[in-house]
Amino acid sequence: MQLTRRGFLGRCAIAGASLRQAAAGGEIALEARPATGRIAGLGVEFWGYNGQMPGPVLEAVPGETLAIRFRNALPEATNLHFHGMHVSPSGNADNPFLEIPPGEELLYEVPVPEGHPAGTFWYHPHMHGTTARQVFRGLSGVLIVRGELDAIPEVAQAPEHILVLKDFSIGRDGRIPEATMAERMQGREGSLLTINGLLRPAVPIAQNGLVRLRIVNASSSRYYRLKIDEHPLALIALDGGALPAVRWADEWLLAPGQRIDVLVAGARPPGEYRIVSLPYNRGSMGMGAPALAENTLATLRYEGSAQAVPVPDQLLPVEPLPEANAQRTFVLSESMMASFLINGRSFSMDRTDTQVLLGSVEEWSIENRGTMDHPFHVHVNPFQQMLDGAPERAWRDIINVPRGATRRIRIAFPDFPGRTVYHCHILDHEDLGMMGTLEIVPG
Ligand code: C2O
Ligand code: CU
Ligand code: CU
């Protein structure tokens, strides 16, 4: 499939212009609906936003309100979550407790605060019990906040490509089958690995030039250990926005829900280089363990040449969070009988599991006593990972907690009172109970 032949320049996506829909100050119409179209080159019945997989790219700038007229044309209830955004969890904003019945409409109004970091976020359904199947069938889209990071000259010059990593399984009848209970317990992975719904697309790069890749793991359960042949990754942002300085890496593990922004330099002889996912063992409950294989996801293809642009060293300062006022422990465990627990409890929407004070800073220990890795995610407020007792200068909203390991994070609750959730971002696990409620209360 020749994606790059149309010659989009500058800020474009490898799937073409239709992917982008700027908010343009007005309302965005978004409809979740069943659709028929091509995924991985096959005719497939899937679920998409506005009939697309991935959905339209939404863009916002700090200080603006995202107004989304959302319609549910699915045969079941759904809602929207704005993953990674530091926005209100209440009312018609980033509220995971809303439920929009089939055939109904809701106007989402999400004010994006002044000072919201620029970054790569995403939106997806958040209906407890059916989130994994809705996402697995194709419901997800990218939400970009533009700001300071995008204004750094070397970053601004780099043509930008969005890569949405999503696995599918597609039956002979062109339908996406339901997951079995064993697949759900493991976290279902599909064997067709797509980027923007395409099999092995080519990402263009000019010799000597830089490209910026915004990479989103929108898979419901699959991990990607990303590497580009002969091209080191210059990370400029993690989940929640810019790093203080470029971080060089040969490979990077992207758990479900995580994002990275990377710069890649066209510093090799012109040709085609593979973008691969290396094998990663995330553990299993003993049955239906996914195969450990290396997969080619895409190619980096040299086209033309450009003036050499250096990779910038300094990006944007990240202030470490101050000392915590409170400590808490979250124990993740799996039990037979298909239940996935946090502190021994399975999710219940009406119970408040964790209450924190507005304006406080806390340190959380997340202890994984299970047999699988669990990527722990918190809504609304990003966090800093504690490394050797000091906060990492990076904003994340998901931290992978390997089986048997403990990870510590520091998290602040500066604004936004209300009720929200934290959970495992293997969405099958979330649906099977590995989620808790978090209430942020004024002191
Ligand atoms: Cu992307 Cu509550 O999740
Ligand atoms: Cu989220
Ligand atoms: Cu999990």
Side-chain angles (χ1 to χ4, degrees), residues 105-121:
E105 219 180 75
L106 184 77
L107 179 63
Y108 276 93
E109 289 181 293
V110 187
V112 180
E114 296 285 354
H116 193 290
T120 306
F121 305 96

Side-chain angles (χ1 to χ4, degrees), residues 81-426:
H81 166 49
F82 305 95
H83 181 124
M85 295 287 289
H86 181 59
V87 293
S88 170
S90 307
N92 290 358
D94 187 25
N95 185 343
F97 303 107
L98 291 174
E99 186 171 334
I100 302 158
E104 308 233 324
E105 219 180 75
L106 184 77
L107 179 63
Y108 276 93
E109 289 181 293
V110 187
V112 180
E114 296 285 354
H116 193 290
T120 306
F121 305 96
W122 65 298
Y123 60 96
H124 63 77
H126 217 288
M127 283 302 300
H128 177 63
T130 51
T131 299
R133 64 194 284 265
Q134 293 188 3
V135 172
F136 194 85
R137 286 177 178 213
L139 289 166
S140 58
V142 173
L143 201 176
I144 291 176
V145 178
R146 294 211 180 264
E148 248 188 302
L149 174 62
D150 308 282
I152 295 173
E154 298 89 339
V155 176
Q157 274 186 38
E160 173 181 308
H161 302 283
I162 295 168
L163 308 185
V164 176
L165 312 185
K166 170 71 176 76
D167 56 346
F168 282 94
S169 39
I170 298 168
R172 282 176 192 282
D173 57 358
R175 296 214 171 104
I176 297 171
E178 279 300 314
T180 62
M181 185 46 87
E183 285 174 318
R184 297 180 69 198
M185 290 174 72
Q186 177 63 43
R188 172 159 62 154
E189 297 186 8
S191 56
L192 282 170
L193 276 59
T194 68
I195 291 189
N196 303 346
L198 304 164
L199 264 192
R200 300 190 181 184
V203 178
I205 188 170
Q207 192 182 18
N208 302 319
L210 286 181
V211 287
R212 176 185 187 176
L213 307 179
R214 294 180 183 264
I215 306 176
V216 178
N217 183 355
S219 305
S220 48
S221 301
R222 181 182 280 275
Y223 284 58
Y224 297 82
R225 202 177 130 210
L226 292 172
K227 183 177 166 62
I228 307 181
D229 284 345
E230 298 177 42
H231 292 72
L233 308 171
L235 277 82
I236 58 171
L238 301 189
D239 298 335
L243 291 165
V246 162
R247 199 186 282 187
W248 289 95
D250 283 326
E251 57 173 76
W252 193 263
L253 183 68
L254 213 58
Q258 289 182 321
R259 291 87 63 212
I260 47 173
D261 271 28
V262 301
L263 295 176
V264 179
R268 304 299 302 159
E272 293 218 16
Y273 297 84
R274 295 174 318 149
I275 302 178
V276 299
S277 179
L278 299 170
Y280 177 72
N281 182 359
R282 63 179 177 88
S284 80
M285 287 180 87
M287 44 189 175
L292 295 180
E294 176 174 321
N295 290 294
T296 301
L297 305 175
T299 58
L300 188 67
R301 179 189 289 161
Y302 279 68
E303 288 182 2
S305 62
Q307 270 195 324
V309 183
V311 170
D313 304 321
Q314 293 308 306
L315 299 165
L316 301 173
V318 174
E319 287 305 317
L321 286 173
E323 291 287 315
N325 319 106
Q327 321 274 333
R328 257 174 239 276
T329 300
F330 296 87
V331 175
L332 312 179
S333 65
E334 305 143 9
S335 77
M336 280 300 142
M337 317 316 298
S339 69
F340 287 75
L341 311 171
I342 300 183
N343 291 340
R345 301 197 284 203
S346 177
F347 181 69
S348 162
M349 178 147 126
D350 306 313
R351 185 184 64 220
T352 296
D353 296 301
T354 306
Q355 210 177 52
V356 300
L357 285 179
L358 190 67
S360 68
V361 178
E362 298 206 349
E363 221 160 273
W364 291 4
S365 268
I366 302 126
E367 226 179 283
N368 182 347
R369 294 201 193 139
T371 58
M372 283 180 269
D373 289 15
H374 296 292
F376 187 82
H377 171 50
V378 189
H379 284 210
V380 180
N381 293 292
F383 52 76
Q384 295 175 352
Q385 184 183 7
M386 297 300 287
L387 295 171
D388 300 321
E392 180 191 32
R393 307 266 178 132
W395 292 109
R396 302 172 182 260
D397 53 61
I398 293 180
I399 180 92
N400 187 49
V401 189
R403 51 201 184 281
T406 296
R407 291 285 179 269
R408 290 191 177 77
I409 61 172
R410 200 175 271 181
I411 183 166
F413 307 96
D415 30 35
F416 304 129
R419 243 174 141 248
T420 188
V421 292
Y422 47 80
H423 59 89
C424 174
H425 217 287
I426 288 180

Side-chain angles (χ1 to χ4, degrees), residues 14-75:
I14 52 170
S18 66
L19 203 65
R20 165 153 287 127
Q21 175 181 320
E27 253 175 49
I28 299 159
L30 200 66
E31 183 178 68
R33 62 168 184 256
T36 305
R38 296 195 86 72
I39 287 178
L42 305 166
V44 182
E45 285 175 43
F46 64 99
W47 287 359
Y49 291 113
N50 296 356
Q52 294 169 232
M53 205 306 298
V57 176
L58 309 180
E59 293 202 12
V61 293
E64 157 184 88
T65 292
L66 263 176
I68 300 172
R69 181 153 309 270
F70 179 68
R71 215 184 97 78
N72 178 11
L74 301 174

